[in-house]
Amino acid sequence: MRDLYQRLAISPEANEQDIKRAVASCHHSVLRQDAESVFAVAERRDVYDTLHGTVSDIGRLRARLGLTHGAHWQGDVANDFSMPPDQAVSRHDELIGRVEHAVSLYNRWRRFRGSWLLITIFATGASVGLALGLTLCLWLMAM
Amino acid sequence: MSIARFSPFELLLLKSRSQVDTATLLLLAWVLVHRQHISEGQRRRRLTDVSAHFRHGHELTPVMSIAHSQDLQAIQLAAEVLRKECSKERSLSIIHQAISVATDDGALSIANHYILRFLADLLNVAPVTLATLFQELTGAPLSSPEDPSRDAYWQIHDPDYHARKARDAAAAEQKARQEQARAEQHQRQKNEREQHKQQKQQDKQRRQDEARRTREQEQQRKREQTHQQEQEKQRQREQSEREQRSREHYSRQHEHHQQHSRNHYSQQQRPSPPPDRTTRALSVLGLRPGASRIEVRHAYRRMAQLHHPDRFYTKSDQQIALASARFQRIKNAYDYLMKTY
């Protein structure tokens, strides 16, 4: 399995004219014949694109997990689909960090809930009473 | 400070009773998604079969939908969990399950070739071990994946296209030949007409000629006629021969195409399992050949209870490993029998 797009220097989303032009200007005769036979028929290109997507996903996974030199990753595939590691973040560490964060938030909320609840209830009660008194005063003065 | 939301797979993992089992499930579902020619229901059933002894404790539907969406981050997370928390025996059994899930009656798809190899690299399984496992499970050696980026692949897998092309070319050739034949016939008719004219002229001359030359002329005309007939015959023979040849050519091409497609078909068929495999599977379950399906099921339940690795929980690692190997063998035999009986 080779990455024909990479070898022809086109993007996988290229339209048919671009592909035809790239294939016609390719100097390697074997590669040109292969590319012609893959891109000549729409169904073949679909099949190839699906597999291309899967294999590039695997290449990306391998790059992130540090498996680009595995014993099972050799030959054309390894040459064409090994990607440079993008962001070296371990998903598992990230998950643990996120869980820790969520737990600390939850704990803080639990810890402060009792006292804060009292304070907020008192504050809302007081403010409602004040507002009522004020409006009553204003109304009486207007009378 | 805002906190990013947990993805569906992260939530599953947090809720799961066994993270390794959940991660394994996702990777097996990923393999199943890339298997061709099976329906969604079959995929789900197969995943349920495989996960019969898992301790994840959640639904399988979200796992399947995550696998369908090809969520790369979820798969990466699952792979990291597996790599962190898998023992050697467990990783072998996961590879085992992945192979059986990927190939239990059809051929291994190209995408699954790469996925299996990725899993093997992830779980530190050497190529030799993978090849041996594959050979044991499927009876066929693990070949290198086919390459759809090459012309040769399409020559084999899309013979219809090439046959169609060849047929079109043959039809064009035949048409050209027919046109040529028509032109020849036209020419011949013209020749005949000219000859007719000449004959008429000769007739006139003859009428004007003296009676003494009539006999000679008669003879000459006869000779001419026989000659013409011979020519005609020869021409007909030539034409029929040509037609015969073109028909032969077409039928040969047709035959070639048929042979080609037959080859293709026979390549698609898997080699049938050895006939004694059923007997061996039965003997693994402690049964004689000819046991019924119900007996097989009862024997499997008994054996599974006897050899389940959880029974050896308090024993040494070595004993647990042996028990899980035994259990795996029993389960394989049972699976095989359920499939073939």
Side-chain angles (χ1 to χ4, degrees):
Chain A
M1 175 79 186
R2 297 166 303 167
D3 190 352
L4 291 179
Y5 296 114
Q6 188 190 324
R7 293 195 180 208
L8 293 173
I10 43 179
S11 84
E13 289 86 30
N15 56 12
E16 282 189 25
Q17 282 93 25
D18 288 348
I19 288 179
K20 256 181 203 159
R21 213 177 303 133
V23 169
S25 64
C26 173
H27 294 299
H28 192 300
S29 61
V30 178
L31 178 62
R32 190 167 58 228
Q33 193 194 349
D34 289 347
E36 266 168 10
S37 79
V38 173
F39 295 129
V41 190
E43 296 102 63
R44 294 185 187 180
R45 195 183 164 192
D46 286 348
V47 170
Y48 178 77
D49 278 354
T50 320
L51 190 63
H52 182 268
T54 310
V55 178
S56 14
D57 276 357
I58 291 176
R60 217 164 289 132
L61 274 180
R62 278 176 179 272
R64 288 181 190 166
L65 295 166
L67 293 174
T68 40
H69 296 278
H72 293 278
W73 187 246
Q74 268 159 7
D76 284 336
V77 205
N79 281 337
D80 286 11
F81 289 96
S82 290
M83 319 241 168
D86 31 11
Q87 73 279 24
V89 178
S90 163
R91 289 275 143 207
H92 195 247
D93 293 350
E94 197 189 284
L95 173 66
I96 287 175
R98 239 190 268 174
V99 169
E100 271 172 8
H101 188 72
V103 165
S104 70
L105 278 184
Y106 178 77
N107 276 351
R108 209 177 301 155
W109 191 69
R110 292 297 285 199
R111 200 182 330 137
F112 292 123
R113 195 181 63 166
S115 52
W116 279 116
L117 213 60
L118 274 180
I119 291 168
T120 46
I121 286 171
F122 181 75
T124 47
S127 57
V128 165
L130 265 176
L132 276 178
L134 265 177
T135 45
L136 201 65
C137 277
L138 285 175
W139 188 59
L140 283 176
M141 277 166 72
M143 282 281 284
Chain B
M1 195 164 112
S2 70
I3 181 167
R5 292 173 68 178
F6 289 99
S7 70
F9 184 65
E10 285 171 340
L11 289 177
L12 267 188
L13 211 56
L14 291 176
K15 274 188 268 177
S16 162
R17 279 190 225 138
S18 156
Q19 293 203 333
V20 183
D21 282 347
T22 306
T24 314
L25 265 184
L26 179 68
L27 293 179
L28 290 180
W30 190 36
V31 171
L32 270 178
V33 163
H34 283 100
R35 221 176 111 185
Q36 285 162 340
H37 315 302
I38 60 172
S39 69
E40 200 44 46
Q42 281 172 314
R43 284 201 181 109
R44 193 150 299 167
R45 234 170 294 136
R46 192 73 187 82
L47 197 62
T48 325
D49 278 0
V50 165
S51 64
H53 303 285
F54 283 11
R55 294 175 294 131
H56 48 277
H58 55 71
E59 291 286 308
L60 292 181
T61 324
V63 177
M64 213 58 203
S65 65
I66 294 167
H68 265 294
S69 66
Q70 307 272 337
D71 186 355
L72 205 60
Q73 300 197 339
I75 292 169
Q76 188 188 341
L77 180 54
E80 281 172 12
V81 169
L82 273 198
R83 192 160 60 166
K84 273 205 176 91
E85 323 207 339
C86 245
S87 64
K88 193 148 175 64
E89 289 81 29
R90 186 66 211 265
S91 60
L92 270 184
S93 96
I94 290 172
I95 289 285
H96 201 284
Q97 282 162 337
I99 294 173
S100 69
V101 155
T103 64
D104 49 6
D105 49 350
L108 189 62
S109 73
I110 305 173
N112 272 339
H113 263 290
Y114 292 115
I115 292 176
L116 273 188
R117 289 183 161 96
F118 167 69
L119 291 180
D121 265 344
L122 179 77
L123 299 168
N124 271 326
V125 175
V128 184
T129 322
L130 181 69
T132 324
L133 259 181
F134 193 87
Q135 172 96 41
E136 272 177 12
L137 275 176
T138 62
L142 178 63
S143 58
S144 57
E146 287 171 305
D147 189 353
S149 70
R150 290 188 191 276
D151 192 28
Y153 173 87
W154 295 107
Q155 297 275 0
I156 297 168
H157 286 261
D158 201 3
D160 283 354
Y161 177 76
H162 292 279
R164 218 181 310 137
K165 248 177 151 179
R167 225 176 301 144
D168 286 351
E173 207 179 329
Q174 191 137 5
K175 207 174 168 189
R177 214 173 278 149
Q178 273 177 357
E179 248 163 40
Q180 202 186 340
R182 209 176 301 139
E184 272 179 18
Q185 207 172 7
H186 203 71
Q187 186 72 29
R188 210 180 306 135
Q189 278 175 355
K190 221 192 255 173
N191 286 349
E192 273 176 11
R193 230 174 288 138
E194 276 176 13
Q195 279 181 352
H196 207 66
K197 248 183 230 167
Q198 279 178 357
Q199 270 187 0
K200 266 185 188 169
Q201 279 180 354
Q202 281 171 355
D203 277 354
K204 256 183 205 170
Q205 271 187 349
R206 208 194 319 137
R207 246 174 275 137
Q208 286 168 0
D209 274 357
E210 299 138 4
R212 61 178 163 86
R213 281 176 66 186
T214 40
R215 208 186 299 150
E216 281 174 19
Q217 283 233 329
E218 195 79 21
Q219 281 176 349
Q220 196 192 350
R221 209 185 56 187
K222 266 184 187 167
R223 227 180 296 136
E224 256 184 18
Q225 270 184 349
T226 51
H227 182 65
Q228 197 184 325
Q229 273 176 355
E230 268 177 18
Q231 265 191 348
E232 190 69 39
K233 259 186 208 161
Q234 193 165 357
R235 248 179 237 129
Q236 277 178 353
R237 218 181 300 136
E238 268 177 14
Q239 197 181 359
S240 68
E241 264 179 17
R242 210 176 294 129
E243 275 176 3
Q244 179 81 20
R245 224 179 297 136
S246 73
R247 221 176 297 135
E248 270 177 12
H249 184 67
Y250 180 72
S251 69
R252 215 179 305 135
Q253 272 189 347
H254 195 67
E255 209 174 78
H256 181 69
H257 169 222
Q258 275 188 341
Q259 207 178 355
H260 204 82
S261 59
R262 226 178 294 136
N263 282 346
H264 181 60
Y265 183 60
S266 68
Q267 271 179 358
Q268 273 190 345
Q269 276 184 337
R270 286 189 61 217
S272 59
D276 63 336
R277 195 170 160 189
T278 312
T279 325
R280 264 190 288 143
L282 280 171
S283 72
V284 166
L285 292 176
L287 294 168
R288 304 201 158 279
S292 71
R293 209 178 150 87
I294 296 168
E295 279 174 346
V296 168
R297 188 169 291 147
H298 284 306
Y300 168 67
R301 293 227 175 104
R302 206 175 53 236
M303 300 285 274
Q305 279 181 352
L306 270 177
H307 296 285
H308 199 280
D310 286 359
R311 285 194 63 206
F312 300 86
Y313 180 65
T314 50
K315 306 282 172 56
S316 69
D317 274 357
Q318 169 71 14
Q319 270 179 321
I320 295 178
L322 282 176
S324 72
R326 251 178 297 150
F327 182 71
Q328 198 59 249
R329 217 175 66 218
I330 290 162
K331 184 159 170 15
N332 283 341
Y334 175 68
D335 281 347
Y336 173 73
L337 289 173
M338 283 296 118
K339 252 186 312 176
T340 52
Y341 255 42

